[in-house]
Amino acid sequence: MLGNPVMTASGTFGYGTEEDHGFDIQALGAIVCKGTTLKSRDGNPQPRLVETAGGILNSIGLENIGVDALIKEKAPVWSGWKVPVIVNIAGETVDEYTRLAEKLEGVAGISGIEVNISCPNLAAGGAEFGTDPDSAAEVTSAVRKATSMPVLVKLTPNTGNITGVAQAVAGAGADAISLINTIKGMALDIAGRRPVLGNVSGGLSGPAIKPVALYMVYEVAKAVDVPVIGCGGITTAGDAIEFIMAGASAVQVGTVGFSNPRAPLDILEGIQQFMKEEGIDNLTSLVGTARSA
Ligand SMILES: Cc1cc2nc3c(=O)[nH]c(=O)nc-3n(C[C@H](O)[C@H](O)[C@H](O)COP(=O)(O)O)c2cc1C
């Protein structure tokens, strides 16, 4: 499905349609659009973004136009694109994920589904689907049954058992696993003596999380047979190559795009340059090499 291994990370590149990105986005491996829910959402109270050392905390709260508007307004634009678009979906029940996948089935311009399982499971008292292997498997298998498209499942790092969750979703029919989503955190305003974010907590992303993400990719890639897509703090081509050597077959680029919009293409070109210098024809030969070192 991918022409090359560099994609945008969900929520950091909108729908890809908003603006001139300053580079040819058709050159990317894939665009993953922002998290999409059944109904449109306004998101969390402001402020929703705060800079931290080496990263940002966000509590956007899945603000999005809803799946029906996405199908009507965005998919027709995507259907004229060369770059595949993957729709990231989010729900609060297994049924919501199923209905999202059913609605997206057969829509021109959509090439795959990424299932964000970092969402509260209302039927299980609000614990995130992705913190528990059984819940993660249940939602994966429901989406798998509802679509003929490739299904990526995106793991949350906010669990003590990411390998168990990865094995459960692979066993339930995921075609690939992306990781990681943001790490839960907070920032305080000491003058006001209160949390900075309107939602109290948020998700940490950016270079600060790279070592955590890299290790999780390394461990998960050893434990599953499906392709792994690495994400978390990737800022340079060297970072991306680290993830590939740890076992990722592709990478997603997120937060760095806010300070360098051309970063996804810079990273792709840097990987190609590295391969040329090292005489590597096929990226597959680099995947997981750090494991056998
Ligand atoms: C502002 C913002 C919004 C995000 N929205 C989503 C989302 O809707 N769905 C999702 O699965 N991940 C979302 N993420 C997580 C990113 O896709 C990515 O997993 C995470 O930021 C780590 O990668 P990075 O350090 O390169 O940004 C969001 C991240 C940020 C910073």
Side-chain angles (χ1 to χ4, degrees):
M1 177 180 142
L2 302 180
N4 69 66
V6 180
M7 328 178 182
T8 59
S10 176
T12 64
F13 206 72
Y15 298 97
T17 54
E18 287 77 8
E19 62 204 52
D20 178 6
H21 295 276
F23 70 95
D24 180 15
I25 65 172
Q26 307 298 327
L28 296 178
I31 307 278
V32 184
C33 82
K34 63 158 74 189
T36 299
T37 49
L38 270 180
K39 299 243 157 62
S40 64
R41 283 171 62 113
D42 293 334
N44 285 326
Q46 298 283 355
R48 309 199 288 198
L49 272 183
V50 55
E51 235 178 282
T52 57
I56 56 171
L57 275 167
N58 92 82
S59 61
I60 305 293
L62 290 174
E63 177 185 349
N64 78 99
I65 59 175
V67 69
D68 292 330
L70 176 142
I71 290 168
K72 201 160 152 245
E73 295 162 22
K74 306 297 177 188
V77 181
W78 297 336
S79 68
W81 289 2
K82 185 181 99 194
V83 59
V85 177
I86 297 168
V87 175
N88 178 286
I89 62 170
E92 290 179 330
T93 62
V94 172
D95 184 55
E96 280 186 18
Y97 283 101
T98 306
R99 286 166 58 206
L100 280 157
E102 284 170 356
K103 277 178 181 273
L104 296 169
E105 180 64 7
V107 176
I110 300 173
S111 299
I113 293 180
E114 182 178 68
V115 187
N116 174 5
I117 56 172
S118 305
C119 303
N121 178 358
L122 290 191
E128 290 176 17
F129 283 95
T131 58
D132 168 56
D134 291 341
S135 307
E138 194 187 349
V139 62
T140 303
S141 112
V143 173
R144 173 70 289 159
K145 285 193 194 101
T147 184
S148 61
M149 287 189 280
V151 175
L152 283 55
V153 177
K154 180 159 176 190
L155 304 189
T156 171
N158 302 312
T159 169
N161 184 15
I162 197 154
T163 306
V165 173
Q167 286 169 329
V169 305
D175 295 300
I177 293 176
S178 39
L179 73 156
I180 59 174
N181 211 314
T182 54
I183 301 176
K184 246 183 212 151
M186 76 182 297
L188 289 181
D189 162 12
I190 57 172
R193 302 186 182 193
R194 58 179 169 73
V196 174
L197 294 171
N199 188 50
V200 178
S201 70
L204 184 63
S205 63
I209 73 169
K210 195 194 98 183
V212 177
L214 187 66
Y215 181 57
M216 287 185 164
V217 164
Y218 182 84
E219 286 296 311
V220 165
K222 273 196 298 192
V224 297
D225 291 331
V226 297
V228 167
I229 301 161
C231 176
I234 296 175
T235 304
T236 64
D239 294 337
I241 292 164
E242 281 187 63
F243 277 81
I244 292 162
M245 290 178 171
S249 303
V251 294
Q252 294 180 350
V253 176
T255 299
V256 64
F258 296 132
S259 51
N260 172 18
R262 201 181 184 279
L265 193 60
D266 287 346
I267 288 168
L268 173 61
E269 289 171 355
I271 295 171
Q272 288 163 341
Q273 179 68 23
F274 177 82
M275 288 174 66
K276 211 166 123 198
E277 283 165 12
E278 298 277 319
I280 299 164
D281 299 329
N282 189 341
L283 193 71
T284 316
S285 63
L286 210 57
V287 173
T289 42
R291 296 208 307 260
S292 48

